[in-house]
Amino acid sequence: MKRPVIGIPLDSEEGGGYSKFPWYALRKNYIESVVAAGGLPVLLPHHPELIDDYVAGLDGLLVPGGAFDVDPALFGASSRHETVVLKEGRTAFEIGITRRMLQLDRPVLGICGGQQLLNVILGGTLIQHIPDEISQPLAHEQPNPRTEPGHMVEVLADSLLHRITGEDSFPVNSAHHQAAAAVGPGVLVSARAPDGVIEAIEQPDAAFCLGVQWHPEYHISAADTKIFDAFLQACGAK
């Protein structure tokens, strides 16, 4: 059986920690989740000039999270919150390759920051800092370990996410200070937190286009595993 090839953009740092020179990295549980669901992960350095070459060999794209934010200028904001941290090179590459995959109608899964990036690509906007824009918000940057639940999400009936998980609600972890605000034309909000924060978006007309605000690669519940299984099945896994 040929495993579907899943591209995963790497994170990048200019130096410090692992090496004093610039380096790429990715948490192992992204990779292990793709392998467990039947895929062959391929890690993608940030070379926009290679996007067409990358895409030629990909059956699906997983856009992971990271400790940075999408530039507010990309969704039309006139100011940038003081908490916003940018990785402009990574963002530019992820926008380019995600748009190309969507143009080809190949499966895309966005996780946490990847969901936020997907929302912007699809014409939406972002909350730049949840505590400043949501009344009585939950602790979306949960104080307990990411391997534990942080809060529940409520799932929209008749959505792709509901069909995948079979659940009206389930627990998730939470590690973000931003979230989707408005969504673009044709985009469906398929899950929310109890405080109203958008937790999942999808594009119903696409082969598979799903963004989740939490980190299913930690497999907090059976729903997380089902998300990876459904993504890989859409990519051609048997």
Side-chain angles (χ1 to χ4, degrees):
M1 181 187 75
K2 179 183 179 295
R3 286 175 172 261
V5 178
I6 308 302
I8 311 176
L10 290 158
D11 196 11
S12 63
E13 292 291 345
E14 290 305 310
Y18 172 74
S19 172
K20 64 182 179 181
F21 299 103
W23 48 274
Y24 285 113
L26 186 73
R27 264 191 289 106
K28 286 176 66 176
N29 55 0
Y30 284 112
I31 297 165
E32 291 166 351
S33 294
V34 168
V35 171
L40 176 66
V42 173
L43 308 186
L44 305 177
H46 308 157
H47 290 277
E49 74 278 10
L50 298 180
I51 284 176
D52 285 341
D53 296 292
Y54 285 149
V55 167
L58 297 181
D59 298 300
L61 180 70
L62 189 164
V63 186
F68 72 105
D69 306 297
V70 175
D71 188 342
L74 294 174
F75 51 88
S78 59
S79 62
R80 181 191 303 170
H81 195 275
E82 61 184 7
T83 59
V84 169
V85 175
L86 303 182
K87 289 190 176 181
E88 295 173 308
R90 176 177 167 180
T91 296
F93 173 75
E94 289 183 335
I95 287 174
I97 196 165
T98 303
R99 281 180 172 159
R100 188 74 184 109
M101 292 291 283
L102 292 173
Q103 287 168 357
L104 296 170
D105 200 23
R106 293 187 194 164
V108 173
L109 174 62
I111 291 177
C112 197
Q115 185 249 32
Q116 295 166 15
L117 181 107
L118 184 61
N119 190 56
V120 172
I121 289 171
L122 295 174
T125 62
L126 300 179
I127 295 171
Q128 291 195 42
H129 191 56
I130 289 171
D132 286 1
E133 298 189 44
I134 299 295
S135 176
Q136 298 181 320
L138 297 172
H140 287 278
E141 293 184 286
Q142 69 183 56
N144 54 312
R146 303 298 186 247
T147 53
E148 300 173 358
H151 60 76
M152 300 292 289
V153 296
E154 302 293 328
V155 182
L156 181 71
D158 298 324
S159 63
L160 172 64
L161 184 62
H162 193 275
R163 292 192 295 274
I164 288 170
T165 64
E167 302 285 351
D168 296 326
S169 64
F170 52 86
V172 300
N173 54 14
S174 192
H176 60 105
H177 79 108
Q178 297 198 329
V183 298
V187 175
L188 180 69
V189 175
S190 50
R192 290 184 183 270
D195 60 3
V197 166
I198 292 173
E199 291 284 335
I201 62 168
E202 55 193 63
Q203 193 175 41
D205 294 338
F208 185 104
C209 179
L210 176 67
V212 296
Q213 185 60 74
W214 64 94
H215 284 274
E217 71 276 13
Y218 285 93
H219 300 276
I220 300 299
S221 75
D224 289 339
T225 302
K226 290 176 181 178
I227 288 169
F228 275 97
D229 288 344
F231 172 53
L232 264 297
Q233 288 170 11
C235 295
K238 304 299 182 184

